[in-house]
Amino acid sequence: MNHLCQESPLYDGECLARSNAPDLDSYDHILVAFSGGKDSMACLLHLLELGVSRKRLELWHHRIDGADGALMDWPVTEDYCSTIAAHFCLPIFFSWKEGGFEREMLRDRSPTAPIHFEAPDGLHTIGGLGPQGTRQKFPQVSGNLAVRWCSAYLKIDVAAAAIRNDPRFVGKRTLVVTGERAEESPGRAKYATFEAHKADRRAGKALRHVDHWRPVHAWAEAEVWDIIRRHKVNPHPAYWLGFGRVSCMKCIFGSPNQWASIRAIDPDGLRAIAQYEEIFGVTIHRTQSVTDRANQGQPYPMVSSKWRDIAMRKRYSEPVFLDHWEYPDGAFGESVGPT
Ligand code: SF4
């Protein structure tokens, strides 16, 4: 942990008025779903500007590929998130479905895998005994989470299960903070800014009060970059490469330019996805393979820069703060990603 954590305040600027925020001091725990992307970064920085105490704040990151997989996500993301947490003197807890995206996708008359989640008292494991099911194909490119199972099974349900199964949340008030923005898609525009979280049991026997707040829901992309610029935070390497959103590296929503960029950055990775499309006989996109999509696009100009190696490493060793902050290539660029 950063030695400054012992004494430094979380934020040494002037704290903002909290008129549009829930009563943040009323919560025992504030959990920020932290992907490493700009919107979750904006949530974190906004909470700091609102003067939230470090003692109640923690970052949660869901490992899309599980503990050891490498099919979907940027190799650097996990360490980027850990590095950010350390520099802001905050704990970060990882959670994941065993085997990640790949195991869930390959289910063949088998139950969904157990969930692992970190907590202050160590690693917990739950589930793995559910009904048998078969997928044998990629999630569908849809706003409907029932068929776009990756968001639900690998993130939303993992977070809810971790909250339900960690006794430290019983009898407490917890706020879950996520970074969806209305501007991203018509589906996200319909999300409530504030509501009871799906793990809430305020009326149940266990008495677990859990709220869900989306503080940047109404923000424009310019406001998101503005708060990152104000704090001089170095954005995730994918933005420097030209990606407009940082989700899974090989997100099923990828555009032709993104698939072309991925082929330039990680040809073996693209091949692995293409091979699964062939095995399943079903492509991610309804009518085109990822190879067709890549053939239609142009790699982003920065894919041959030093950021390619930085994004593909497991260790992040770039500066967290930039003296001379500038917009990365991906800012205000193609905004494709989960709807
Ligand atoms: S980023 Fe894309 S591929 Fe990854 S979980 Fe979300 S929708 Fe699925």
Side-chain angles (χ1 to χ4, degrees):
M1 184 168 275
N2 185 327
H3 69 281
L4 291 173
C5 296
Q6 305 310 317
E7 319 88 33
S8 65
L10 261 183
Y11 173 61
D12 60 7
E14 199 172 317
C15 291
L16 299 178
R18 294 181 177 182
S19 50
N20 292 325
D23 180 3
L24 297 171
D25 294 335
S26 74
Y27 293 99
D28 302 288
H29 304 282
I30 299 180
L31 321 176
V32 182
F34 192 71
S35 67
K38 65 183 184 305
D39 300 323
S40 59
M41 180 69 77
C43 289
L44 168 62
L45 299 175
H46 186 50
L47 287 166
L48 303 186
E49 291 192 352
L50 292 173
V52 168
S53 160
R54 184 192 311 162
K55 291 192 189 110
R56 289 178 290 122
L57 197 54
E58 53 194 77
L59 305 187
W60 281 28
H61 180 82
H62 309 301
R63 288 169 164 155
I64 292 295
D65 288 315
D68 309 309
L71 185 69
M72 298 298 286
D73 216 351
W74 294 98
V76 77
T77 291
E78 193 171 317
D79 202 46
Y80 175 81
C81 293
S82 295
T83 305
I84 295 288
H87 276 72
F88 283 101
C89 311
L90 293 169
I92 183 163
F93 297 108
F94 292 93
S95 48
W96 64 96
K97 190 171 269 289
E98 197 170 286
F101 187 109
E102 195 165 13
R103 176 166 164 181
E104 182 64 28
M105 178 174 75
L106 294 177
R107 273 175 70 189
D108 187 4
R109 288 160 291 170
S110 55
T112 191
I115 286 169
H116 303 282
F117 68 91
E118 296 176 346
D121 64 349
L123 185 64
H124 298 241
T125 300
I126 49 173
L129 298 171
Q132 301 207 330
T134 298
R135 295 205 187 276
Q136 294 284 309
K137 60 181 174 211
F138 282 93
Q140 288 183 31
V141 180
S142 162
N144 178 356
L145 296 185
V147 291
R148 189 182 99 216
W149 49 261
C150 46
S151 300
Y153 270 69
L154 304 172
K155 298 182 192 172
I156 299 166
D157 293 353
V158 169
I163 295 169
R164 287 190 193 111
N165 288 278
D166 188 338
R168 73 192 171 109
F169 298 116
V170 176
K172 302 285 192 221
R173 285 173 57 81
T174 300
L175 183 66
V176 176
V177 175
T178 61
E180 300 95 340
R181 289 186 301 115
E183 197 183 62
E184 292 174 303
S185 71
R188 290 193 168 194
K190 293 193 194 113
Y191 287 0
T193 302
F194 186 82
E195 60 188 336
H197 189 264
K198 66 186 293 194
D200 178 75
R201 281 292 177 278
R202 71 192 66 185
K205 211 164 143 196
L207 284 182
R208 188 178 52 237
H209 185 115
V210 190
D211 288 326
H212 187 165
W213 185 36
R214 299 183 173 94
V216 300
H217 189 246
W219 290 24
E221 181 175 351
E223 293 172 273
V224 170
W225 284 116
D226 198 46
I227 196 168
I228 294 170
R229 180 189 56 72
R230 242 180 1 256
H231 289 262
K232 296 179 181 278
V233 177
N234 196 353
H236 186 290
Y239 292 116
W240 292 110
L241 284 167
F243 286 71
R245 284 172 71 177
V246 171
S247 39
C248 295
M249 175 186 186
K250 295 155 200 148
C251 178
I252 56 170
F253 288 92
S255 67
N257 288 345
Q258 286 186 351
W259 288 117
S261 302
I262 285 161
R263 182 162 58 192
I265 295 167
D266 180 18
D268 290 345
L270 185 86
R271 214 166 293 126
I273 302 281
Q275 277 169 357
Y276 272 131
E277 286 188 326
E278 279 170 28
I279 291 166
F280 300 147
V282 183
T283 52
I284 294 177
H285 189 273
R286 283 200 184 142
T287 55
Q288 296 168 326
S289 68
V290 286
T291 311
D292 294 336
R293 304 269 288 158
N295 289 342
Q296 288 164 8
Q298 286 296 324
Y300 297 132
M302 289 292 279
V303 298
S304 49
S305 70
K306 68 167 188 174
W307 290 103
R308 182 222 170 258
D309 292 339
I310 294 168
M312 293 305 291
R313 272 186 220 129
K314 286 204 154 244
R315 283 274 154 252
Y316 181 75
S317 45
E318 297 302 298
V320 169
F321 301 106
L322 299 173
D323 288 338
H324 304 288
W325 196 93
E326 54 185 291
Y327 288 99
D329 263 33
F332 308 107
E334 254 191 320
S335 185
V336 285
T339 54

